[in-house]
Amino acid sequence: MLNDLRIINKIRGGDIKAFESLFRHYYSPLCLYAVSITGRQEIAEEIVQDLFYIFWKDREKIRLLHSLKSYLYGAVRNKALQYCEHMEVRNRHREAILNEKAESPASHTPQDLMEYKELEEVVKRTLKQLPERRLRIFKMHRDEGMKYAEIATTLSLSIKTVEAEMTKALQTLRKEVEIYTQTQ
């Protein structure tokens, strides 16, 4: 516990080397722990990365009641369980909507099918207008299910560049879909 307090005090003081050492020591084990709860590697990595980001950002406010290890594992457990609860609620909501549509004979009217095809065309047209690299990144992530890190490695880009390109692609799609829905 004394060593933990020393490390925390260094980090609170802005010692980036102490933080990097803490990150390197705990990152992989925390990811494995998060995967054991969420069942998804990319989600586990996001949870742990987010934890360390918040840890650094709020370093001056952190108060340890137990060991640093307990603090980090507890935080990862809580975030992973929140993610699982969120996914469970989302899945129940999706199932309720699908069941409602399946029970409703009016859900597949010619009008609905026409609107769906029009919306599909809007999406296809918008994707064709994206810059080549952005479209490639979008397809690698959405169609091939690749993680940002895998895309970054494949295309020799930074993860931040991949994230930025995906954000821009999704913003463009969102804007075009909103324009379409407002004209309907």
Side-chain angles (χ1 to χ4, degrees):
M1 182 74 176
L2 191 58
N3 192 34
D4 289 351
L5 290 174
R6 204 172 305 133
I7 292 169
I8 286 294
N9 286 332
K10 283 183 176 183
I11 292 172
R12 278 190 196 125
D15 186 338
I16 191 75
K17 291 201 184 285
F19 178 74
E20 286 175 351
S21 176
L22 180 73
F23 179 85
R24 278 194 298 277
H25 182 73
Y26 281 106
Y27 181 78
S28 293
L30 288 172
C31 283
L32 288 173
Y33 181 56
V35 167
S36 74
I37 297 169
T38 64
R40 297 191 54 199
Q41 180 69 33
E42 65 277 4
I43 298 301
E45 289 172 4
E46 274 183 44
I47 287 170
V48 175
Q49 288 167 9
D50 188 48
L51 168 68
F52 277 106
Y53 169 75
I54 291 168
F55 189 89
W56 178 255
K57 189 178 87 164
D58 296 339
R59 64 189 177 274
E60 295 163 356
K61 301 174 196 169
I62 292 176
R63 302 288 174 245
L64 285 184
L65 301 176
H66 302 287
S67 73
L68 186 55
K69 182 178 180 178
S70 298
Y71 175 86
L72 294 171
Y73 275 87
V76 166
R77 182 190 65 245
N78 291 340
K79 286 191 172 289
L81 291 174
Q82 284 174 350
Y83 167 79
C84 291
E85 287 173 15
H86 172 73
M87 291 308 293
E88 189 176 319
V89 167
R90 192 171 154 192
N91 289 337
R92 279 197 312 257
H93 180 69
R94 182 183 304 136
E95 283 180 31
I97 289 173
L98 290 174
N99 287 339
E100 181 180 303
K101 285 188 175 190
E103 293 169 7
S104 169
S107 66
H108 301 293
T109 65
Q111 176 71 24
D112 288 340
L113 293 173
M114 187 176 81
E115 287 176 6
Y116 176 79
K117 287 186 183 205
E118 286 176 5
L119 185 58
E120 197 173 41
E121 280 304 310
V122 167
V123 170
K124 284 180 185 176
R125 189 171 52 247
T126 303
L127 289 176
K128 284 182 185 177
Q129 294 172 357
L130 292 178
E132 185 178 324
R133 181 173 78 175
R134 191 170 301 156
L135 177 61
R136 186 163 183 213
I137 289 169
F138 181 85
K139 286 185 174 184
M140 290 171 86
H141 181 66
R142 291 297 169 112
D143 297 343
E144 299 170 30
M146 293 177 72
K147 299 175 207 156
Y148 287 178
E150 294 172 324
I151 296 168
T153 303
T154 302
L155 300 179
S156 301
L157 300 170
S158 72
I159 294 176
K160 290 291 181 194
T161 301
V162 172
E163 289 173 356
E165 291 291 351
M166 278 299 294
T167 298
K168 290 174 185 173
L170 292 171
Q171 285 172 341
T172 302
L173 274 171
R174 205 172 290 121
K175 186 177 82 175
E176 292 300 319
V177 168
E178 283 177 12
I179 290 170
Y180 168 78
T181 55
Q182 289 172 356
T183 60
Q184 296 303 311

